[in-house]
Amino acid sequence: MTTESTIKRTVYLDILRIIAIFAVVWLHTAAQDFRNCYPSDEWMVKNVYDTLSRWAVPVFVMISGALFLDAERRVNTRRLFSHNILRLVVIYAVWSTVLTLHKGVAGMSIGEVVQKIIDGPIHLWFLKMLIGLYVLVPILRVITRKRATEEYFLAVVMVMGIVIPTVAKLLQVFCPAISESFSSLIDSFELTVSTRFVTYFVLGHYLHRFSLTKRARLMIYMSAVMSVVAVTWLTAYASSLAGKTDAMFYDCDNVFTLFESIAVFIAIRNARVSKNIQPTLTTAARLSLGVYVLHIPVLTFFIHRTGGMGETMGWVLFVPGLAIVVFICTYVAVAILGKIPGIRKLVM
């Protein structure tokens, strides 16, 4: 493995932001009414499309880890809390309030409205999770200072946060008789610290700092393809056993999503990009936060106005078509909002 230049890192991270936010929009488009349409052709199409985009959030976390744990970047703890964390808190508070009020609070008491705002729209969980990771940054920067320590830490959190949960889910489907005993055994070790997103955070830094060999990359790509097939089939099989949608293998705490995420990250990391489009990529990447926050109301707007089009067009075309429309419209809206003083910092 070899260390890469800072310039190349920045460019590919911008590209990752753009494709990851599109994958988020794609994922949420495919997830519309997914749980309620089992079994049907619509369900199967959405199962495939959903599986293809499960790497989106982990890759966003990996990007943050690549930036905040970079030894070349000075991170002041006071500024981390007064700027980075406070900014996320403000963004969450403002947009949670706006989106909650937009959705409607008629008939609710003041206490219920406040509780709704605190809980926030479901997709804003990502911001709360990032706040938790940022709090750990000073500790994680010490851990990632030495490669050997970082590799040991990654091995531990991968096993705790990803490998063990994957085994537990597979046992639940194929060996339910021992599934409960296995879970009880793991719980007895008191490994209660949430590790799945810490894994992606540190992994982002590791893959950001070191390059894999061509052979290792090829193995990762093959594993990612097999993972997509595996999750698609496992979700269909688990759902057939339950008689309803069972999406347990969609979560980020499984080895399948891990392989997909690593594959996307290193593929873009090793891509060649023309210097002529770098400024455009940087501008587009800066809008990704606003697109994440606002794409759900835009998606909801279009969903209410395209009823029946999925059956008419066919779900294979409708889902990606709608995702592209929502993505473009949200990007335009965020770009406009980004030019308004006072709102700019809430979307970029």
Side-chain angles (χ1 to χ4, degrees):
M1 293 186 175
T2 56
T3 303
E4 296 290 326
S5 68
T6 303
I7 295 177
K8 183 177 180 180
R9 295 173 186 173
T10 303
V11 174
Y12 88 82
L13 290 177
D14 283 340
I15 298 173
L16 279 173
R17 284 193 190 94
I18 297 168
I19 65 170
I21 192 56
F22 177 70
V24 167
V25 175
W26 176 291
L27 184 157
H28 287 153
T29 303
Q32 293 298 309
D33 204 41
F34 173 65
R35 292 182 179 273
N36 301 322
C37 66
Y38 180 85
S40 65
D41 291 339
E42 174 188 353
W43 187 92
M44 199 61 224
V45 170
K46 289 183 175 180
N47 178 29
V48 174
Y49 282 159
D50 210 327
T51 302
L52 285 170
S53 56
R54 280 289 147 181
W55 51 267
V57 169
V59 165
F60 264 126
V61 175
M62 292 167 76
I63 293 169
S64 293
L67 293 171
F68 278 91
L69 301 181
D70 191 343
E72 297 178 13
R73 173 175 178 169
R74 295 185 61 184
V75 176
N76 180 280
T77 303
R78 178 177 294 181
R79 178 172 170 78
L80 179 68
F81 278 83
S82 64
H83 178 71
N84 302 105
I85 293 177
L86 179 61
R87 177 171 176 264
L88 287 180
V89 170
V90 171
I91 290 173
Y92 179 84
V94 171
W95 287 116
S96 180
T97 301
V98 171
L99 295 178
T100 298
L101 295 179
H102 171 73
K103 193 171 182 179
V105 294
M108 294 184 184
S109 66
I110 296 298
E112 289 173 330
V113 173
V114 172
Q115 186 61 54
K116 273 278 188 183
I117 292 173
I118 293 174
D119 292 341
I122 190 169
H123 71 290
L124 294 189
W125 70 271
F126 177 75
L127 298 180
K128 292 184 283 187
M129 179 269 293
L130 271 186
I131 291 171
L133 288 176
Y134 285 4
V135 170
L136 295 176
V137 163
I139 299 172
L140 295 177
R141 283 178 65 86
V142 174
I143 292 174
T144 57
R145 194 173 296 163
K146 293 184 178 180
R147 179 173 169 181
T149 307
E150 182 175 13
E151 290 176 344
Y152 176 78
F153 181 80
L154 268 175
V156 171
V157 294
M158 276 187 184
V159 171
M160 291 169 56
I162 294 180
V163 175
I164 289 177
T166 303
V167 173
K169 291 174 183 178
L170 291 172
L171 288 176
Q172 187 177 334
V173 173
F174 297 104
C175 302
I178 64 173
S179 174
E180 187 174 343
S181 297
F182 178 79
S183 297
S184 297
L185 174 64
I186 297 303
D187 290 343
S188 67
F189 289 107
E190 296 293 337
L191 302 176
T192 56
V193 178
S194 177
T195 54
R196 58 178 178 171
F197 287 113
V198 171
T199 299
Y200 289 111
F201 198 72
V202 176
L203 183 61
H205 168 264
Y206 188 81
L207 295 176
H208 179 53
R209 183 180 179 187
F210 303 108
S211 62
L212 301 178
T213 63
K214 186 176 181 179
R215 182 177 180 180
R217 294 200 304 271
L218 180 60
M219 291 178 65
I220 290 293
Y221 297 149
M222 293 174 61
S223 298
V225 172
M226 290 187 290
S227 293
V228 170
V229 175
V231 172
T232 301
W233 182 82
L234 284 168
T235 301
Y237 183 69
S239 297
S240 69
L241 293 178
K244 60 181 181 180
T245 300
D246 188 333
M248 72 170 84
F249 291 101
Y250 281 174
D251 292 336
C252 297
D253 58 346
N254 67 73
V255 296
F256 309 112
T257 302
L258 178 66
F259 282 130
E260 289 180 40
S261 303
I262 295 175
V264 171
F265 194 94
I266 62 176
I268 301 303
R269 183 184 187 279
N270 288 279
R272 294 184 178 181
V273 183
S274 171
K275 293 183 178 180
N276 296 329
I277 65 171
Q278 289 181 15
T280 302
L281 290 173
T282 300
T283 300
R286 292 181 65 188
L287 300 176
S288 60
L289 175 62
V291 174
Y292 185 91
V293 170
L294 294 176
H295 77 280
I296 290 295
V298 176
L299 174 60
T300 302
F301 172 86
F302 281 103
I303 286 292
H304 289 163
R305 287 158 179 78
T306 55
M309 286 187 65
E311 297 290 347
T312 304
M313 292 178 57
W315 294 102
V316 173
L317 295 177
F318 177 74
V319 172
L322 180 59
I324 292 171
V325 171
V326 171
F327 180 72
I328 293 173
C329 290
T330 310
Y331 244 109
V332 171
V334 172
I336 294 172
L337 289 174
K339 296 182 181 298
I340 302 175
I343 297 182
R344 179 182 177 85
K345 292 183 178 182
L346 297 174
V347 296
M348 298 180 70

